[in-house]
Amino acid sequence: MSNDAISYSDVIPLGYESHNDSLVIKYDVNENYYTNISFLWNGKSRYDMSFNCVLNNTIRTCTLPVKESDHAQMYSEGIIACTENNGTFQMCGYQVPLILFPSPLIISEFRPKTRGGNTTLSGYYLELKERLFVQFENHYFNDQFRWVGGLYLIPGKFQSKTPDRINLKLKVFPGCGYRTIVWENLETFNFTYQDPNIEKIDINESILDITGTNFYNQSIFVAVKIDNNIIDPKDIISVDFENIKLKFNYSDPFSSKLNVQVGCCDYWSNKFQITYPPIPSSVNSIPKLKGGLLIINGDRLTSSPSSNNNNISVTVGDSNCSIVSSSSNEIKCNLQSLSNQKLNNSPLIVVSINGIVNTNELLLNYDIPYITTFSQVNDEIHIIGGCFGNINSTQIQINGKQVLNQIKSIKNDETILILNVQNQIYNFNISMESNSIKSNEINVDVKMYARINEIPSVGNKLINFTLFYVNSSNINSTPKIKILNEQSNQTIKSILTNVNESVLSCSFLIESNCGIINYEIEIGNQRYQSSFSYESPLINNCNLNSNEVVTCIGKAFGNIYNETSIIISNQSISLNKEINNSSYESISFQMNEEYNILGELYLNVCGLSSNKVIINTIPIFKNISIPNLFDTNGGDIIIIGKYLNNNNTNITIECNGEEILEKECKLNNSGTSIECDIKLNGPNDKTCTLIFNYDKNNSNNIVSTFNLIYKSPSINQTSIINLKQGGILTIIGNDFYYPIDKVTIIGDNGNGSSDNLNCDEPKFINDTMITCFIQATNYTFNNIKNGEMIFINVSTNGKSGTSKVFKYLTQSDDAGQYSDARNIFQNLLLSILIIIIISLFISNI
């Protein structure tokens, strides 16, 4: 190759282009160039072609046209050419090296397998001069094949000659990822090996066995991702072109789907999903015709924390089991009862978690009795398990022997069996037989149990217990009790003891006499801890007396301040200040302004709360307030007191022998006042009597006397009357009463005395208007000018009002002044009339 380049260095192209329909070579204007070429075979020309050359400034472009039929003929053992220089013939017979000729044109995808081997390379101009191999540039320094040089080159050898000069077989060495073919003229063609592809993954405990195609056999170029996390290369056990083995220990406690990818030379395969399914390994039995709670144990029985547990399902045969709860190693679900026709004695259990189904087989066997544990509930032994049958058919074996009449009851869908165990038996093995099937056997160790004979009353120091299951070795020992509430942990010996086989009755004197008592009873080497409670406080009633002292009656109140507290409306009363008296059956305290007397009250005695009650209050009278004078329609009085309410407050009001209806009185929200609307007409003032909480059997009823004072009439304006002519005088004002006694016009004569003129026939229109008649007269008032205001007086039943509003006019008065005054008064009357009409309309709505 280097010799050819030196021999023909006088033909030096600037560049090349390869097209389907042409080959293009560019030269400098002063360089030699090819004009035609001949393809030689066995030393003879077998196919000739000519270039078309065009000069453009300093660049000469020579194009070799290629027809479709030319492609199959463009091959040779050697190429010769004729050359020119600026149109001057140079020579013919130059041997053309491929280093000075355009590159092949690849026309289809070239993607060898990673294993290498014969691969079709399709293109034009591949055999212009017959090639033995092509050079591959290696982009991976640590690849297995390399030729040390300026470039890392790998020869790819062409196989046996074939008439097909377009589709050639090229033997490719193994590789992966991105590679480059380097042509003789140092132009390149880039390609990639085929991407890895996963076809199957077998999981064998903690080994993943990945099968597929186009993996690579050099581990340095191989990587594995599981859910986008690259596995440590140290965990890759082996690599080959079709198989990869690696260690992968799935330790999550939940079922999951994982995506696996294989990467070779940074080119990644398809995502292949593997599953770690739930593994249900055991299940309890349930009654065939009742159904019940299935408890499935195993591994990976829940979904990941990021998933929804609603996607967990369990089917038993054709029936759904309703999920109750799930954890990594347990699923609980309720299976409904089925009819006999539907039942399969051993249905298959299928657990599905987020679409992942168990692959192992687990069958449900009905009606197999089993015992899981036991519990001691006071003096009862509860055997816990399932499929216990019914009390009439189930048999019990204690210490291997069948016993009768020992089953007290079977409850909770055959999952709890309660035994009547004889007191002499303390430790035994128990099994049972139900539906002709025998259960497993467990050991039951019965513990001593103490029961208080009755709830002690507060203050009672003698407490009686009964001890059950006392060992024979301890039966003659003296019982002792330790009160665990007390810091001293004082131990008290029994003062009375009575033995009946393994049952022992004993009595203790205990100083703590209220609340909940934690205790430990010891007899010999047996101990029992529990607690008992004194009776809770009970309130019968709470009453408030006139001195504002509350007394509550009941029982179990306690008699020590620091043991008893009083709560009223969620506010605790300070005992050392407020409680006047306390005993087991009553308690008294002074009511305080800050307490809400209307709220609920209860007691707390040594931590035990009583029932809640409402205080029965007695209303307390203080005084009567009359904020305003009464008017024509009456007025309001306010009764001031404490603890007033509609249920306990009776009032009677009498004014001058007339009783006021109680419905006219309203209680305010705070219970401190009652406002009464007294509708008594004036004008006469009245003396009233209030009887507070009247009781005919009580001679000490509260009586209060008060006076109703009515307003005097007030005059605002009168109509205009000419005394010479006389007429009806209209008087506007307030607080006029019926009947009107007298209306008098009063004039000052200037010497300290007055002249009076009566207005006859006074009439009451309403409380704001009256009329009277003035006789026509020539009477005149001394020292009073025409149009001057003088006094007018209205009197009724001892109430009198005077105002300077009457305008004195005679016949000689200016007619215009009279007209103006009349118009003003008429407008005032019209306004008053409108107000009266509106008031009547509103009152009738």
Side-chain angles (χ1 to χ4, degrees):
M1 177 177 172
S2 59
N3 291 335
D4 288 343
I6 294 170
S7 298
Y8 296 96
S9 61
D10 56 330
V11 178
I12 305 175
L14 292 177
Y16 314 97
E17 294 179 12
S18 298
H19 303 285
N20 182 31
D21 57 356
S22 65
L23 292 175
V24 179
I25 305 176
K26 295 182 179 181
Y27 306 90
D28 185 85
V29 65
N30 296 317
E31 293 292 337
N32 296 335
Y33 53 90
Y34 304 128
T35 57
N36 51 56
I37 59 172
S38 296
F39 296 95
L40 303 180
W41 195 262
N42 293 328
K44 297 179 181 180
S45 175
R46 57 165 298 277
Y47 200 69
D48 299 325
M49 300 180 74
S50 298
F51 283 92
N52 297 323
C53 295
V54 177
L55 180 64
N56 183 9
N57 292 329
T58 61
I59 302 299
R60 190 183 311 278
T61 303
C62 295
T63 302
L64 182 69
V66 179
K67 299 189 296 294
E68 188 65 32
S69 59
D70 292 334
H71 287 299
Q73 302 299 327
M74 295 176 72
Y75 67 92
S76 69
E77 292 177 328
I79 304 173
I80 59 174
C82 294
T83 62
E84 292 183 359
N85 189 302
N86 282 325
T88 301
F89 173 76
Q90 295 296 309
M91 67 175 295
C92 284
Y94 284 145
Q95 290 188 5
V96 179
L98 294 181
I99 192 174
L100 299 176
F101 212 74
S103 307
L105 177 66
I106 305 303
I107 61 174
S108 65
E109 184 181 54
F110 180 66
R111 297 204 67 185
K113 295 180 179 179
T114 58
R115 181 182 284 277
N118 292 343
T119 307
T120 299
L121 180 64
S122 299
Y124 300 138
Y125 323 123
L126 285 168
E127 295 255 299
L128 294 178
K129 187 175 182 180
E130 201 170 40
R131 290 179 170 89
L132 298 178
F133 59 85
V134 294
Q135 310 261 24
F136 288 88
E137 182 181 351
N138 184 8
H139 297 274
Y140 301 96
F141 182 80
N142 292 318
D143 207 344
Q144 56 182 331
F145 301 109
R146 62 192 178 96
W147 177 37
V148 179
L151 296 173
Y152 296 98
L153 300 177
I154 304 167
K157 294 184 178 181
F158 284 104
Q159 300 306 294
S160 59
K161 297 181 176 66
T162 171
D164 187 351
R165 303 296 177 167
I166 296 175
N167 300 296
L168 297 160
K169 294 291 184 182
L170 183 65
K171 183 179 180 181
V172 181
F173 283 98
C176 62
Y178 176 82
R179 301 296 171 112
T180 303
I181 293 177
V182 183
W183 304 115
E184 290 83 352
N185 62 5
L186 299 184
E187 289 187 337
T188 59
F189 169 70
N190 299 322
F191 71 94
T192 57
Y193 283 86
Q194 292 185 26
D195 291 336
N197 180 66
I198 302 175
E199 297 175 349
K200 183 179 71 169
I201 299 180
D202 293 321
I203 303 173
N204 184 10
E205 295 182 351
S206 60
I207 303 297
L208 294 186
D209 191 342
I210 306 173
T211 302
T213 57
N214 292 302
F215 303 155
Y216 200 28
N217 65 347
Q218 298 297 306
S219 61
I220 192 171
F221 297 109
V222 176
V224 178
K225 285 196 296 189
I226 298 180
D227 270 8
N228 291 322
N229 297 312
I230 294 180
I231 299 301
D232 189 337
K234 295 178 182 179
D235 291 332
I236 297 177
I237 299 171
S238 64
V239 295
D240 202 350
F241 296 107
E242 283 83 30
N243 183 263
I244 296 174
K245 288 183 174 65
L246 71 147
K247 292 184 292 184
F248 180 67
N249 184 21
Y250 181 81
S251 58
D252 288 336
F254 44 79
S255 296
S256 183
K257 297 177 181 179
L258 304 177
N259 289 317
V260 179
Q261 283 182 282
V262 170
C264 298
C265 299
D266 297 326
Y267 282 77
W268 291 95
S269 72
N270 57 314
K271 290 183 178 181
F272 192 92
Q273 194 172 78
I274 60 174
T275 60
Y276 285 87
I279 307 175
S281 56
S282 65
V283 63
N284 62 303
S285 182
I286 59 174
K288 182 182 293 185
L289 298 180
K290 292 183 179 178
L293 182 69
L294 284 187
I295 302 176
I296 302 171
N297 296 109
D299 296 307
R300 300 199 291 263
L301 297 181
T302 189
S303 58
S304 65
S306 60
S307 300
N308 189 348
N309 270 350
N310 290 333
N311 292 329
I312 299 176
S313 67
V314 175
T315 56
V316 181
D318 296 329
S319 302
N320 291 324
C321 194
S322 178
I323 301 296
V324 175
S325 64
S326 73
S327 64
S328 60
N329 53 18
E330 182 183 85
I331 292 178
K332 292 182 178 180
C333 63
N334 279 317
L335 185 64
Q336 298 297 320
S337 60
L338 300 174
S339 64
N340 262 325
Q341 290 75 12
K342 287 186 175 182
L343 284 175
N344 175 357
N345 246 2
S346 300
L348 182 67
I349 294 176
V350 177
V351 177
S352 175
I353 299 178
N354 292 323
I356 308 171
V357 177
N358 62 296
T359 56
N360 64 314
E361 182 180 276
L362 178 64
L363 301 177
L364 171 63
N365 294 311
Y366 288 102
D367 296 317
I368 306 297
Y370 64 93
I371 302 174
T372 57
T373 186
F374 79 96
S375 65
Q376 182 174 346
V377 182
N378 299 332
D379 56 348
E380 292 181 344
I381 303 301
H382 292 200
I383 305 300
I384 299 169
C387 298
F388 291 160
N390 61 71
I391 194 170
N392 296 320
S393 62
T394 298
Q395 299 175 352
I396 296 295
Q397 290 85 34
I398 292 180
N399 293 331
K401 295 181 180 181
Q402 182 176 335
V403 294
L404 301 176
N405 302 322
Q406 293 295 302
I407 301 176
K408 184 176 180 180
S409 62
I410 296 176
K411 301 164 59 176
N412 288 16
D413 293 329
E414 303 182 22
T415 61
I416 298 177
L417 185 149
I418 302 176
L419 287 178
N420 290 318
V421 180
Q422 297 177 0
N423 286 318
Q424 296 88 342
I425 304 177
Y426 313 108
N427 186 286
F428 56 91
N429 295 323
I430 185 171
S431 64
M432 67 183 62
E433 185 175 307
S434 176
N435 302 311
S436 301
I437 302 174
K438 189 174 181 179
S439 75
N440 58 311
E441 185 177 76
I442 67 167
N443 179 260
V444 175
D445 185 19
V446 183
K447 305 296 182 183
M448 181 185 73
Y449 162 70
R451 182 175 65 198
I452 192 167
N453 293 351
E454 60 181 357
I455 297 175
S457 58
V458 173
N460 184 10
K461 296 183 179 181
L462 184 63
I463 310 298
N464 301 313
F465 290 90
T466 300
L467 309 184
F468 299 88
Y469 310 119
V470 180
N471 291 340
S472 57
S473 59
N474 298 324
I475 200 71
N476 294 320
S477 301
T478 301
K480 301 175 184 177
I481 191 169
K482 181 185 293 184
I483 305 303
L484 303 180
N485 302 57
E486 300 174 353
Q487 294 180 355
S488 62
N489 285 331
Q490 180 184 4
T491 300
I492 305 168
K493 291 184 179 182
S494 172
I495 59 172
L496 295 172
T497 303
N498 183 36
V499 178
N500 181 11
E501 296 183 345
S502 63
V503 178
L504 184 147
S505 299
C506 53
S507 302
F508 302 94
L509 286 174
I510 298 175
E511 290 297 327
S512 300
N513 54 14
C514 64
I516 298 174
I517 305 300
N518 298 312
Y519 68 90
E520 179 183 81
I521 288 182
E522 175 185 341
I523 181 169
N525 60 3
Q526 291 180 281
R527 288 179 174 81
Y528 174 78
Q529 283 190 2
S530 187
S531 64
F532 68 87
S533 172
Y534 283 87
E535 62 180 337
S536 297
L538 175 67
I539 303 176
N540 294 332
N541 58 71
C542 292
N543 297 307
L544 176 77
N545 65 18
S546 58
N547 296 321
E548 298 191 63
V549 173
V550 176
T551 299
C552 296
I553 305 299
K555 64 177 182 177
F557 288 173
N559 64 348
I560 304 175
Y561 287 159
N562 59 8
E563 292 177 346
T564 304
S565 58
I566 301 172
I567 296 91
I568 179 169
S569 296
N570 296 322
Q571 184 179 7
S572 181
I573 294 178
S574 177
L575 302 183
N576 57 346
K577 294 181 179 179
E578 304 293 349
I579 290 185
N580 296 334
N581 177 53
S582 178
S583 69
Y584 294 135
E585 296 181 349
S586 70
I587 189 169
S588 300
F589 63 95
Q590 186 70 43
M591 197 61 195
N592 194 302
E593 293 286 349
E594 64 190 62
Y595 307 143
N596 180 9
I597 191 68
L598 302 179
E600 290 183 317
L601 177 147
Y602 67 95
L603 301 182
N604 185 291
V605 178
C606 300
L608 298 178
S609 296
S610 73
N611 55 313
K612 295 181 179 181
V613 299
I614 299 295
I615 300 174
N616 299 319
T617 57
I618 297 176
I620 297 176
F621 171 77
K622 289 187 175 181
N623 56 63
I624 293 176
S625 171
I626 303 176
N628 299 302
L629 295 175
F630 275 49
D631 57 25
T632 308
N633 298 317
D636 296 330
I637 68 168
I638 300 175
I639 302 169
I640 309 298
K642 292 179 70 174
Y643 316 125
L644 309 176
N645 65 64
N646 292 323
N647 296 325
N648 69 359
T649 305
N650 299 317
I651 57 174
T652 301
I653 300 175
E654 290 184 356
C655 296
N656 292 0
E658 184 176 354
E659 184 174 341
I660 307 302
L661 296 179
E662 189 176 341
K663 69 178 181 179
E664 305 298 336
C665 299
K666 294 181 180 179
L667 177 72
N668 73 349
N669 291 334
S670 64
T672 58
S673 66
I674 298 174
E675 184 173 342
C676 298
D677 182 13
I678 298 180
K679 298 184 181 303
L680 292 179
N681 294 332
N684 295 332
D685 297 340
K686 297 175 176 58
T687 298
C688 301
T689 300
L690 167 69
I691 303 176
F692 192 82
N693 268 22
Y694 172 73
D695 184 354
K696 63 181 181 180
N697 298 319
N698 187 357
S699 60
N700 296 320
N701 290 316
I702 298 175
V703 178
S704 177
T705 301
F706 58 95
N707 294 319
L708 302 182
I709 308 299
Y710 286 80
K711 296 178 181 179
S712 296
S714 62
I715 303 168
N716 299 328
Q717 195 168 0
T718 67
S719 60
I720 307 301
I721 293 295
N722 191 309
L723 296 182
K724 299 290 186 180
Q725 297 173 351
I728 296 175
L729 178 68
T730 301
I731 302 171
I732 305 300
N734 297 99
D735 302 311
F736 296 144
Y737 303 96
Y738 178 84
I740 303 298
D741 293 335
K742 186 178 182 181
V743 178
T744 305
I745 299 170
I746 304 171
D748 187 0
N749 60 15
N751 57 10
S753 61
S754 60
D755 294 331
N756 296 332
L757 177 65
N758 291 328
C759 188
D760 301 328
E761 302 177 16
K763 293 182 179 180
F764 177 84
I765 305 300
N766 55 42
D767 60 343
T768 61
M769 181 185 298
I770 60 175
T771 63
C772 59
F773 182 75
I774 297 178
Q775 297 286 344
T777 179
N778 291 324
Y779 183 83
T780 59
F781 292 96
N782 295 328
N783 301 321
I784 297 177
K785 298 178 181 179
N786 291 334
E788 186 176 348
M789 293 293 183
I790 62 176
F791 290 98
I792 186 169
N793 174 270
V794 175
S795 60
T796 174
N797 288 319
K799 298 287 184 181
S800 177
T802 302
S803 182
K804 196 175 184 180
V805 296
F806 181 77
K807 194 167 189 178
Y808 174 63
L809 292 176
T810 66
Q811 190 175 11
S812 60
D813 287 332
D814 180 73
Q817 184 182 25
Y818 178 83
S819 177
D820 291 341
R822 182 179 59 192
N823 290 337
I824 293 172
F825 187 76
Q826 287 176 346
N827 289 336
L828 178 62
L829 285 177
L830 180 60
S831 299
I832 292 173
L833 180 61
I834 291 172
I835 292 172
I836 292 172
I837 292 172
I838 292 173
S839 300
L840 291 173
F841 176 76
I842 293 174
S843 64
N844 291 327
I845 293 178

